[in-house]
């Protein structure tokens, strides 16, 4: 079946692009073109924002009751549940995530988000009456924030769209989504499901395009709120524009999370956990635990165990169900990871597994060798900068106090983990690391709870009632 497309989803229908330019979607495994789709321009964004604006200012969606909107989103959720296998395959095809990861997370996690948000919306205080201090009750309402611009990255495309789309829909907002040019295919399937579920025209609009067109959307006067997931560098620029225009903005940015391995941890279980926590999505994950902190006395054991674990992971064709690590999304990403592997060696770190060059048995595709560095100092660039690939640094610590200091010695504060035989001491460590999410002997997100970053990892939270609240404005109504 051809994955080619020739239109954008605007105003509830398939719209002819303003320009004839195409994006070639290239398989990171075969390096061959697997589909072509239109590349959005500022004119397409203008049409999408105009449709979203009309739907917000004059359409039925913001004026429906929360229960009526919940019904439509529930229909969308049910349709999504039936197409997850297809969605997983599309995502693996376009950006190279191992199908094992796509079947576990790329497709099911967005659906779990929809269901979690539906539960939250059913119990949300959309309009409440509070006893006022002046004697009369005050009505407090949560109203939709308006037209939302959603800008996701390519690494977990549906995951990062759904965390914005679903709370926007449930709140009564309308939305323009600008997917990343590396992952333009999955939104087409999503758009079909939204249409089938009965989302009214103009409520959701999707235009895939690059950065400059994304910047046009951010600055567009018709947009009330920007919801962005991506690099910290882009996040800063977007925040500056939103600050100037006083637009609401939420930012989910980069990370350099630390996994603290305490001496009482079960090493085999820890390694099994780190396979996912550090190397999910071939290491292309904002929450990846890329700094592994081990005590000096246990250091050699941790390095050996990690080296053996990483060396044993299957690298190759993302569509092979046995693959654990696939290619990088693009050639520039492969080159970036290789640059960091060379840099680590220049900085004096020791490669214990991997290094530059193609993985054994592969001669094409944008692959890198999964790499473990030992003898890493936390001040090195490989320990401070987000590499976004399967490259781990093992850093020694003196005692637990020192481990917490090193974990916190980062511009980022997105996530972290601690691995220990004693859950209570794990919780104690969790309380002291400055990060928005933290795992004790696991790293699995729970969509009932807020997710987001401290420091340069972002502003605001997604998921949970907190993530829904970002799509509302508060209004207080006084009465005599
Ligand atoms: P990126 O910042 O280059 O691009 C992200 C998206 O923003 C793309 O759609 C891109 O076209 C668009 N964009 C870039 N600059 C823009 C600008 N100035 N104005 C408007 N739009 C702009 O990031 P990427 O390389 O696609 O994604 C990887 C990054 O995303 C990593 O840093 C990763 O940590 C981060 N990420 C964070 C989370 C999170 O929840 N915190 C989740 C996934 C990825």
């Amino acid at each position: 079946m051809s994955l080619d497309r020739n239109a954008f989803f605007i105003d509830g229908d398939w719209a002819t692009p303003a320009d004839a330019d195409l994006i070639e979607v290239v398989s990171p495994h075969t390096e061959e073109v697997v589909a072509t789709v239109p590349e959005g321009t500022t004119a397409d964004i203008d049409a999408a924002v105009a449709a979203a604006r009309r739907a917000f200012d004059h359409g039925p969606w913001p004026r429906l009751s929360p229960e009526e909107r919940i019904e439509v989103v529930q229909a969308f959720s049910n349709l999504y549940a039936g197409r997850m296998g297809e969605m997983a395959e599309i995502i693996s095809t376009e950006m190279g995530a191992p199908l094992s990861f796509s079947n576990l997370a790329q497709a099911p996690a967005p659906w779990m988000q929809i269901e979690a948000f539906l539960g939250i919306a059913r119990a949300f205080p959309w309009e409440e009456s509070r006893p006022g201090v002046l004697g009369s009750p005050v009505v407090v309402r949560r109203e939709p924030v308006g037209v939302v611009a959603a800008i996701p990255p390519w690494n977990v495309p549906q995951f990062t769209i759904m965390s914005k789309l679903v709370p926007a829909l449930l709140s009564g907002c309308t939305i323009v989504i600008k997917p990343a040019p590396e992952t333009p295919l999955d939104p087409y399937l999503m758009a079909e499901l939204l249409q089938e579920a009965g989302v009214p025209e103009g409520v959701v609009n999707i235009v895939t395009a690059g950065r400059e067109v994304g910047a046009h959307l951010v600055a567009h006067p018709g947009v009330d709120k920007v919801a962005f997931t991506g690099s910290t560098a882009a996040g800063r620029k977007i925040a500056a524009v939103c600050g100037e225009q006083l637009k609401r903005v939420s930012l989910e940015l980069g990370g350099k999370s630390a996994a603290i391995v305490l001496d009482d941890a079960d090493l085999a279980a820890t390694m099994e956990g780190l396979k996912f926590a550090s190397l999910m999505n071939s290491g292309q994950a904002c929450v990846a635990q890329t700094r592994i902190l081990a005590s000096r006395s246990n250091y050699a054991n941790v390095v050996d165990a990690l080296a053996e674990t990483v060396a044993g992971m299957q690298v190759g064709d993302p569509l092979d169900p046995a693959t654990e690590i696939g290619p990088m999304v693009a050639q520039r990403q492969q080159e970036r990871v290789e640059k960091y592997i060379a840099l680590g060696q220049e900085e004096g770190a020791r490669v214990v597994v991997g290094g530059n060059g193609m993985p054994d048995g592969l001669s094409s595709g944008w692959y890198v060798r999964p790499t473990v560095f030992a003898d890493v100092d936390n001040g090195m660039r490989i320990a401070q900068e987000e590499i976004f690939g399967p490259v781990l640094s093992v850093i020694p610590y003196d005692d637990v106090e020192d481990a917490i200091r090193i974990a916190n010695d980062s511009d980022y504060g997105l996530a972290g983990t601690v691995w220990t035989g004693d859950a209570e001491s794990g919780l104690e460590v969790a309380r002291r690391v400055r990060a928005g999410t933290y795992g004790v002997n696991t790293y699995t997100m729970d969509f009932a709870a807020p997710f987001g970053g401290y420091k340069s990892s972002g502003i605001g939270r997604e998921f949970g009632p907190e993530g829904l609240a970002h799509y509302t404005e508060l209004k207080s109504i006084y009465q005599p």
Side-chain angles (χ1 to χ4, degrees), residues 243-265:
E244 181 61 34
Q245 301 184 346
L246 288 182
K247 270 179 189 157
R248 280 73 186 126
V249 63
S250 45
L251 305 167
E252 295 286 346
L253 310 175
K256 191 76 192 180
S257 301
I260 300 177
V261 184
L262 298 184
D263 287 350
D264 64 356

Side-chain angles (χ1 to χ4, degrees), residues 151-156 159-160 164 178-182 209-218 228-235 237-238 251-255 284-287 332-333 336 386 388 412 414 445 451-453 457-458 462:
I151 304 186
W154 49 264
N155 67 321
V156 276
F159 187 102
T160 48
K164 301 162 182 58
K178 187 215 73 65
E182 295 85 351
R211 291 175 175 195
E212 291 73 26
V213 175
H216 178 76
L217 173 61
V218 168
F228 174 76
T229 300
S231 61
T232 294
K237 290 188 192 146
I238 290 169
L251 305 167
E252 295 286 346
L253 310 175
Q284 300 172 124
C286 54
V287 295
R332 82 181 135 67
Q333 190 67 18
R336 172 189 164 91
E386 189 180 46
F388 228 55
Y412 295 112
L414 189 59
M445 281 179 202
F451 168 87
S457 289
E462 291 189 323

Side-chain angles (χ1 to χ4, degrees), residues 411-444:
D411 287 343
Y412 295 112
L414 189 59
T417 53
V418 59
W419 305 83
T420 171
D422 175 14
E424 212 26 67
S425 51
L427 259 180
E428 207 37 55
V429 171
R431 290 188 184 106
R432 295 187 52 201
V433 175
R434 291 185 54 78
T437 54
Y438 210 83
V440 180
N441 292 326
T442 184
Y443 188 84
T444 316

